[in-house]
Amino acid sequence: NAGVTQTPKFQVLKTGQSMTLQCAQDMNHEYMSWYRQDPGMGLRLIHYSVGAGITDQGEVPNGYNVSRSTTEDFPLRLLSAAPSQTSVYFCASRTGGGNQPQHFGDGTRLSIL
Amino acid sequence: DQQVKQNSPSLSVQEGRISILNCDYTNSMFDYFLWYKKYPAEGPTFLISISSIKDKNEDGRFTVFLNKSAKHLSLHIVPSQPGDSAVYFCAARNFGNEKLTFGTGTRLTIIP
């Protein structure tokens, strides 16, 4: 039962560097999304996708790009990392069709120096 | 503007007793509510949900109650077990909107 798999688990970047956080799910879920969790706050939506080729912005999209070329994968790109992007990032997926819960990966802990 | 609030940052309960976690919301458009449990260094794990057309949903030791007029929901865990020690997040979504709005979490500690 792989579910939602995120890589890497930890990453340290310097300001201005770019990187891609990987997310893959093996449940054939149509919907995928990225959240970030900061201390003392709930998770906040960055970007989401309702199917291959379709993406949209969430609550805090600035500084991040996404694409969805396959049902299974939904990578999150930081083009020029900033210290404010230090956070824990969670990927989630769910099946479509009404009230279905999101299922989360174990997260990527990202530090920007 | 925090639309989902969990006003108790922490809660301690004796093993075997009932744990009650509370959540308030302000957005009357929310129609689907979820509870997640989170252990350190892991992602949130879905526990139980409730649609706005219901006022109660049970799954084993877990029951969620929804009071729409008060914009309040609660999670009851009975009996509480040591493995229930975790951070619990309340979340809400409205129809047609993929965004889950989360509370800030309540850390539950079960005392043996």
Side-chain angles (χ1 to χ4, degrees):
Chain A
N1 283 356
V4 180
T5 302
Q6 293 185 238
T7 56
K9 293 192 183 304
F10 303 95
Q11 185 70 49
V12 178
L13 292 178
K14 294 182 179 178
T15 298
Q17 286 185 316
S18 63
M19 83 159 293
T20 299
L21 280 62
Q22 301 292 344
C23 176
Q25 53 93 8
D26 61 358
M27 298 174 281
N28 202 31
H29 285 171
E30 299 97 320
Y31 290 57
M32 297 186 74
S33 50
W34 278 100
Y35 288 80
R36 60 178 286 175
Q37 185 186 18
D38 299 300
M41 302 181 73
L43 282 71
R44 292 181 294 165
L45 180 64
I46 304 171
H47 285 285
Y48 67 96
S49 168
V50 299
I54 306 169
T55 64
D56 206 346
Q57 296 182 351
E59 184 181 357
V60 287
N62 292 341
Y64 307 95
N65 276 0
V66 291
S67 60
R68 183 103 178 265
S69 55
T70 67
T71 300
E72 293 79 19
D73 300 296
F74 190 43
L76 179 72
R77 296 184 190 85
L78 283 71
L79 300 179
S80 178
S84 61
Q85 293 177 305
T86 293
S87 188
V88 183
Y89 292 84
F90 291 101
C91 179
S93 74
R94 73 177 183 96
T95 188
N99 288 335
Q100 298 293 334
Q102 276 91 331
H103 297 276
F104 287 83
D106 282 340
T108 294
R109 185 174 294 275
L110 183 62
S111 294
I112 315 295
L113 304 178
Chain B
D1 176 29
Q2 201 173 343
Q3 297 187 38
V4 177
K5 299 179 184 179
Q6 294 177 257
N7 292 318
S8 298
S10 63
L11 175 68
S12 294
V13 174
Q14 207 79 29
E15 182 179 357
R17 306 293 290 267
I18 184 171
S19 294
I20 300 176
L21 295 95
N22 294 304
C23 179
D24 297 297
Y25 62 96
T26 58
N27 187 342
S28 57
M29 298 299 292
F30 288 145
D31 63 357
Y32 184 54
F33 303 88
L34 308 89
W35 284 95
Y36 285 88
K37 172 182 179 179
K38 187 180 182 304
Y39 293 121
E42 294 186 9
T45 300
F46 170 69
L47 268 179
I48 192 168
S49 63
I50 188 167
S51 163
S52 60
I53 63 173
K54 296 185 175 182
D55 54 18
K56 178 182 173 181
N57 189 27
E58 282 183 86
D59 185 0
R61 296 186 298 115
F62 303 93
T63 303
V64 56
F65 295 92
L66 176 62
N67 182 333
K68 289 186 289 294
S69 61
K71 294 191 177 68
H72 177 83
L73 65 156
S74 60
L75 174 68
H76 293 208
I77 306 173
V78 57
S80 300
Q81 299 174 355
D84 296 331
S85 294
V87 177
Y88 289 77
F89 290 96
C90 168
R93 198 169 75 207
N94 51 288
F95 182 79
N97 189 336
E98 186 57 17
K99 172 185 164 185
L100 269 181
T101 300
F102 281 83
T104 52
T106 296
R107 182 178 301 278
L108 175 65
T109 302
I110 305 302
I111 304 165

